[in-house]
């Protein structure tokens, strides 16, 4: 009986270990499903889910939020001139700046291509404009260095647009 009990305890420990591994694998897969592989930011699906949630909550609870849309200026020309590897480096540099500058409950996402977005819950348009200007300045300070040649390729500039959600609107408006 004691040997059988010890065997069962061993199986139980083994099962608990396997369950832990499965939980870690599921969490890794969940993160991959909502994360842009190149930049590490939230991906478009995650952005769409979050903005939909904020719109529903805004309509239901009267909460506001603001949205910043960002687009790297002249990215296609830059990418075509210096190549996709350098273009990817620029995207990662912008993403790291957003990760460092967008804090708390705010969300930064890669919207698509060279476009990014940030959702700012509980933030009015005036504060969102200030955040957008800080982001623009932080990105403009970055210089792109070609890792292969060491050549300074210049600054990154971005165009940003800011809007505030009103409870009469929806995510598609």
């Amino acid at each position: 009986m004691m040997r059988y009990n010890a065997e069962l305890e061993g199986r139980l420990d083994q099962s608990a270990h396997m369950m832990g591994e499965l939980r870690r694998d599921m969490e890794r897969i969940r993160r991959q499903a909502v994360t842009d592989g190149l930049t590490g930011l939230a991906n478009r699906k995650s952005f769409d889910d979050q903005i939909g949630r904020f719109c529903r909550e805004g309509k239901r609870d009267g909460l506001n939020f603001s949205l910043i849309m960002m687009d790297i200026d002249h990215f296609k020309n830059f990418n075509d001139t210096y190549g996709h590897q350098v273009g990817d480096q620029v995207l990662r540099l912008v993403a790291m700046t957003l990760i460092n500058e967008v804090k708390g409950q705010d969300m930064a996402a890669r919207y698509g291509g060279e476009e990014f977005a940030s959702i700012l819950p509980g933030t009015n348009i005036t504060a969102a404009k200030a955040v957008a200007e800080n982001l623009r300045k932080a990105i403009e300070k970055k210089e792109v260095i070609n890792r292969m040649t060491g050549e300074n390729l210049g600054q990154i500039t971005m165009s940003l647009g800011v809007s505030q959600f009103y409870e009469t609107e929806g995510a598609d408006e």
Side-chain angles (χ1 to χ4, degrees):
M1 196 65 151
M2 287 175 48
R3 189 172 19 143
Y4 182 70
N5 190 31
E7 187 179 309
L8 286 177
E9 284 180 6
R11 287 184 188 170
L12 185 60
D13 287 344
Q14 206 173 23
S15 294
H17 179 72
M18 288 174 61
M19 290 296 290
E21 286 180 3
L22 286 172
R23 269 192 224 101
R24 284 188 295 278
D25 289 347
M26 290 295 290
E27 179 57 25
R28 181 180 47 80
I29 290 167
R30 187 199 64 75
R31 274 193 313 271
Q32 287 176 344
V34 297
T35 304
D36 177 68
L38 178 65
T39 63
L41 292 173
N43 64 14
R44 175 68 182 268
K45 179 189 178 337
S46 180
F47 170 83
D48 288 344
D49 290 347
Q50 289 300 312
I51 198 136
R53 181 175 67 88
F54 284 119
C55 286
R56 287 188 303 277
E57 289 175 1
K59 285 182 176 185
R60 184 187 69 223
D61 303 331
L63 302 175
N64 71 332
F65 68 91
S66 290
L67 173 67
I68 304 172
M69 296 297 296
M70 301 163 258
D71 188 13
I72 300 174
D73 296 331
H74 313 292
F75 183 76
K76 182 178 178 353
N77 291 338
F78 188 87
N79 208 28
D80 290 348
T81 302
Y82 299 108
H84 292 288
Q85 286 183 325
V86 176
D88 287 352
Q89 181 184 342
V90 169
L91 294 173
R92 284 190 292 268
L93 184 61
V94 168
M96 286 307 301
T97 305
L98 293 176
I99 288 167
N100 291 332
E101 298 291 325
V102 175
K103 302 289 186 199
Q105 62 183 357
D106 298 346
M107 172 197 199
R110 183 173 179 200
Y111 191 75
E114 75 277 8
E115 299 168 331
F116 298 85
S118 185
I119 303 171
L120 311 171
T123 304
N124 66 31
I125 190 83
T126 303
K129 285 178 183 178
V131 170
E133 182 60 13
N134 288 338
L135 288 172
R136 188 193 65 74
K137 286 178 181 177
I139 289 166
E140 192 175 67
K141 287 179 184 176
K142 307 294 181 192
E143 290 186 345
V144 181
I145 307 295
N146 185 330
R147 291 181 185 164
M148 308 264 284
T149 64
E151 177 186 4
N152 184 333
L153 305 179
Q155 294 176 292
I156 303 168
T157 60
M158 291 187 79
S159 297
L160 293 87
V162 182
S163 67
Q164 180 177 330
F165 171 81
Y166 294 94
E167 60 186 274
T168 57
E169 301 174 335
D172 297 332
E173 297 177 44

